[in-house]
Amino acid sequence: MLRVAVLTLFPEMFTGVLGASILKRALEQGQLAVELVNFRDFATDRHRTVDDYPFGGGAGMLLKPGPLFDAVEAVRSRMPGGCPRVLLMSPQGRVLTQGLVQELAREREWMVLCGHYEGFDERVREHLVTDEISLGDFVLTGGEIAAMALLDAVARLLPGVLGNQASAHDESFSAGLLEYPQYTRPAVFRDWAVPPTLLSGHHQKIAEWRHVHALYRTWARRPDLLRGYPLTDADRRWIARWEQGD
Amino acid sequence: MLRVAVLTLFPEMFTGVLGASILKRALEQGQLAVELVNFRDFATDRHRTVDDYPFGGGAGMLLKPGPLFDAVEAVRSRMPGGCPRVLLMSPQGRVLTQGLVQELAREREWMVLCGHYEGFDERVREHLVTDEISLGDFVLTGGEIAAMALLDAVARLLPGVLGNQASAHDESFSAGLLEYPQYTRPAVFRDWAVPPTLLSGHHQKIAEWRHVHALYRTWARRPDLLRGYPLTDADRRWIARWEQGD
């Protein structure tokens, strides 16, 4: 079982996501346990203050170090393995990839800090956080939705959460090509027909069609992914044709 | 006001996120309206089926085209501008950036389709969707959490949702450097002191310190971002020193 603690000022944001779809299933099956910790509970003053003005001036408020350090230490004391790994969702982190998701799915426990306001006191980053993870080059109000994305991506890789079929399906993504086009009934929908090869029942032709279309889509949309992909000679000939506008 | 329709099989996943933080504020202020549409309501059979097997065989189920086309058309008929833009959250799409977020924040209306199962019938992509958007190179179970990320990122850019201060703050991200380190009280926390410059009250020195640290962090963590950044001569001298291990 993977144990995850989420440190957030908005635990109620997680209710819908934890109660549906894959996360619900992983929690019900006992493959995943998620503890939501409101680090405001670790504020020490009467007003439960968690933020303060930045030294040197500037816009917005920062999260104070004290409540976060105390919350992390409280979680660590409860986790069987002491929860060494503390993730921070931040646009300054290492960009999330499926490889990192796989790595986190193999762990036994970790926690994730969700920021809010304009950011954290830097000492949180320097002395508490072990991994900074970014969803990408865009700005979210807080780390909560980013943490949900991480939880969802990890949960579906935990043993038994998805069926074997669907897990196998992932491998094609991990292998580095975008997905080939897929079609379901009806064979003709509003005058748009399914490609005849897919209806042929000829398994080898179908496999070839899918491979070439996955390759084409990757070449057209995400050529950067091809750098890490082991192209065959046949693949190279296809790409040469497309590059000539064929 | 920006009108957004979200087409999903799991509208209840959105409750927590729409009821807290920035999305709550944008909705309450009337800068944003979000309509959750369960496209299962557009299934035509007794069992309300929305998925079917892929032609040509393979793992998993695909979303059928019919209910999605009908749901999109129903939403369009209700939207004042006919809602031409239909987004699909998919790992095959254009990777979400702050530039695309800004573009979507300037629109009047759009809708976003959230996938589930193994994907969509390709005719949805070919004939219904206008923009495919990816959060990044990782696999989510469905498009819901990706749509939440998009909604959050867009909502905070809508006029009046954040204060002016915080909006101004974004510009530094948009300008292409990672954030400089920030500190708040106490000045010494567990033996870790705030850098003295930030306590000096000398505004020009503080501004310089922040710029150089933002530059350093970007150089160390995300050198790719510097390609699009207008470096000054002084910036180049700093980078040359860091490259020499100084």
Side-chain angles (χ1 to χ4, degrees):
Chain A
M1 184 211 268
L2 170 64
R3 290 168 198 271
V4 175
V6 179
L7 277 63
T8 170
L9 295 173
F10 296 93
E12 70 277 12
M13 284 178 75
F14 288 82
T15 319
V17 165
L18 294 179
S21 189
I22 202 73
L23 282 164
K24 181 184 185 190
R25 199 190 311 174
L27 292 166
E28 284 179 354
Q29 290 183 354
Q31 304 296 340
L32 175 70
V34 175
E35 182 187 10
L36 298 170
V37 178
N38 190 335
F39 56 86
R40 192 180 293 281
D41 297 339
F42 293 84
T44 50
D45 65 323
R46 208 154 54 91
H47 301 290
R48 303 176 80 217
T49 309
V50 291
D51 57 335
D52 202 346
Y53 293 96
F55 278 123
M61 302 293 277
L62 299 180
L63 290 168
K64 292 158 61 72
L68 279 161
F69 276 78
D70 291 346
V72 166
E73 284 156 13
V75 168
R76 282 183 164 157
S77 71
R78 291 198 282 270
M79 288 258 205
C83 200
R85 205 157 179 180
V86 179
L87 318 180
L88 172 67
M89 305 311 295
S90 139
Q92 316 202 14
R94 172 181 170 196
V95 175
L96 184 64
T97 61
Q98 192 66 7
L100 180 52
V101 170
Q102 286 163 348
E103 183 189 323
L104 291 169
R106 285 192 296 266
E107 294 273 359
R108 306 288 297 165
E109 43 190 55
W110 38 267
M111 73 181 105
V112 50
L113 310 190
C114 303
H116 239 89
Y117 307 109
E118 292 304 317
F120 286 88
D121 185 285
E122 186 67 10
R123 290 165 289 194
V124 170
R125 195 172 258 130
E126 287 171 346
H127 302 292
L128 197 59
V129 166
T130 58
D131 299 74
E132 274 184 75
I133 301 176
S134 170
L135 275 204
D137 291 335
F138 51 92
V139 182
L140 294 170
T141 313
E144 283 78 11
I145 295 171
M148 291 174 203
L150 187 61
L151 284 170
D152 179 287
V154 166
R156 57 195 296 288
L157 298 187
L158 298 177
V161 172
L162 284 184
N164 288 333
Q165 292 195 307
S167 312
H169 184 78
D170 285 346
E171 320 255 334
S172 75
F173 183 89
S174 311
L177 294 184
L178 296 182
E179 183 101 67
Y180 48 80
Q182 297 213 74
Y183 295 85
T184 187
R185 291 183 298 177
V188 179
F189 175 75
R190 298 191 180 185
D191 281 347
W192 301 308
V194 171
T197 304
L198 297 178
L199 308 178
S200 68
H202 190 305
H203 294 303
Q204 196 192 328
K205 281 191 181 162
I206 291 170
E208 280 170 18
W209 187 96
R210 286 177 167 174
H211 174 72
V212 172
H213 281 77
L215 186 68
Y216 177 78
R217 179 168 279 177
T218 310
W219 172 79
R221 297 184 175 204
R222 290 291 307 277
D224 59 299
L225 296 179
L226 291 180
R227 268 183 254 131
Y229 183 78
L231 294 168
T232 64
D233 288 346
D235 290 343
R236 289 182 206 283
R237 284 194 295 274
W238 278 111
I239 290 172
R241 285 174 59 174
W242 298 326
E243 281 173 349
Q244 285 158 30
D246 196 0
Chain B
M1 185 210 269
L2 170 64
R3 289 169 200 271
V4 176
V6 180
L7 278 64
T8 169
L9 295 174
F10 296 93
E12 70 278 12
M13 284 178 76
F14 288 82
T15 319
V17 165
L18 294 179
S21 188
I22 202 75
L23 282 165
K24 181 183 184 191
R25 197 189 312 173
L27 293 166
E28 285 179 354
Q29 290 183 353
Q31 304 296 339
L32 175 69
V34 175
E35 182 187 11
L36 298 170
V37 178
N38 189 336
F39 56 85
R40 193 180 292 282
D41 297 339
F42 293 84
T44 50
D45 65 324
R46 207 157 52 92
H47 301 289
R48 303 177 79 214
T49 309
V50 292
D51 57 334
D52 203 345
Y53 293 97
F55 278 123
M61 303 292 277
L62 298 180
L63 290 168
K64 293 158 62 71
L68 278 160
F69 275 78
D70 290 347
V72 166
E73 283 156 14
V75 168
R76 282 183 165 156
S77 71
R78 293 198 281 270
M79 287 260 205
C83 199
R85 204 158 180 180
V86 180
L87 317 181
L88 173 66
M89 305 311 294
S90 140
Q92 315 202 16
R94 171 179 168 198
V95 175
L96 184 64
T97 61
Q98 192 65 8
L100 179 52
V101 170
Q102 286 163 349
E103 183 189 323
L104 290 169
R106 286 190 297 264
E107 295 273 358
R108 306 288 296 166
E109 44 189 55
W110 38 268
M111 74 182 103
V112 51
L113 310 191
C114 303
H116 239 89
Y117 308 109
E118 291 304 318
F120 287 88
D121 186 286
E122 185 68 10
R123 291 165 289 194
V124 170
R125 195 171 259 131
E126 287 171 344
H127 301 293
L128 197 59
V129 166
T130 57
D131 298 75
E132 274 185 74
I133 301 177
S134 169
L135 274 204
D137 291 337
F138 50 92
V139 182
L140 295 170
T141 312
E144 283 78 10
I145 296 171
M148 291 174 203
L150 187 62
L151 284 170
D152 179 286
V154 166
R156 58 194 296 287
L157 298 187
L158 298 176
V161 172
L162 285 184
N164 288 333
Q165 292 195 306
S167 313
H169 183 77
D170 284 346
E171 320 254 334
S172 74
F173 183 89
S174 311
L177 295 183
L178 295 181
E179 182 100 68
Y180 48 80
Q182 297 214 74
Y183 295 84
T184 186
R185 292 183 294 176
V188 179
F189 175 75
R190 299 190 179 185
D191 281 347
W192 301 309
V194 171
T197 305
L198 298 178
L199 309 178
S200 69
H202 190 304
H203 294 304
Q204 196 192 328
K205 281 191 181 164
I206 292 170
E208 280 170 18
W209 187 96
R210 287 175 166 173
H211 173 72
V212 171
H213 281 77
L215 186 68
Y216 177 78
R217 179 168 279 177
T218 310
W219 171 80
R221 297 184 174 204
R222 291 291 307 277
D224 59 299
L225 296 179
L226 291 180
R227 268 183 254 132
Y229 183 79
L231 294 169
T232 65
D233 288 346
D235 290 344
R236 289 181 207 282
R237 283 193 296 273
W238 279 110
I239 290 172
R241 283 174 59 174
W242 298 327
E243 282 171 349
Q244 285 158 29
D246 196 1

